[in-house]
Amino acid sequence: LVLDEYNNQCCISGYSATTAIEVAHIIPYYGIESDVIYNVIPLRVDLHRLFDQGLIRIEYSIPAKAFKVHIHHNVFQDYAAFDGQLLIKPSNPLSIPSKIAIDEHNKQFKELWTVI
């Protein structure tokens, strides 16, 4: 269902090799209650790993009314092409990632993104 909603592509890279795309939970999976369309996004395997480690941050951009991708400086050199781009939206507006889930994911990695 998730891949159908996103036209069989990674929502960050746009890659469409479905064998290299996984469904990533925004708030980590904690049971069937968390397995809902607005708590998952399709990501290329490497991007999924970086997202789960907090090295990819997604924030809601008010002017664009869309989610913007940010790449952490630890992996920026290899993934700079994705920094600042907008997340690809699903075809059904009801399947758009939850802003609450995105904010919760970002809170988990707040210290990683804090500049001292």
Side-chain angles (χ1 to χ4, degrees):
L1 177 64
V2 176
L3 287 175
D4 286 344
E5 287 295 323
Y6 286 85
N7 297 316
N8 294 313
Q9 60 184 340
C10 168
C11 68
I12 291 178
S13 68
Y15 284 37
S16 59
T18 56
T19 55
I21 298 173
E22 297 177 336
V23 175
H25 286 86
I26 300 166
I27 295 175
Y29 181 81
Y30 58 86
I32 196 144
E33 303 85 23
S34 66
D35 219 7
V36 291
I37 192 78
Y38 50 83
N39 186 44
V40 294
I41 51 176
L43 292 175
R44 198 174 70 191
V45 173
D46 59 330
L47 298 174
H48 183 181
R49 300 295 178 271
L50 295 174
F51 181 73
D52 283 353
Q53 294 172 39
L55 297 172
I56 290 179
R57 182 179 177 96
I58 299 170
E59 293 183 319
Y60 188 73
S61 170
I62 292 172
K65 294 184 181 176
F67 291 100
K68 188 182 263 190
V69 176
H70 299 283
I71 305 298
H72 193 272
H73 65 85
N74 287 354
V75 294
F76 191 83
Q77 183 175 343
D78 293 323
Y79 292 92
F82 302 121
D83 191 60
Q85 79 176 40
L86 298 180
L87 208 64
I88 295 169
K89 292 181 182 179
S91 53
N92 182 348
L94 297 176
S95 300
I96 290 174
S98 163
K99 184 182 178 317
I100 294 169
I102 293 289
D103 289 346
E104 189 60 35
H105 183 270
N106 291 342
K107 279 185 205 175
Q108 293 175 4
F109 299 100
K110 183 178 180 180
E111 289 182 20
L112 184 65
W113 286 82
T114 302
V115 178
I116 299 174

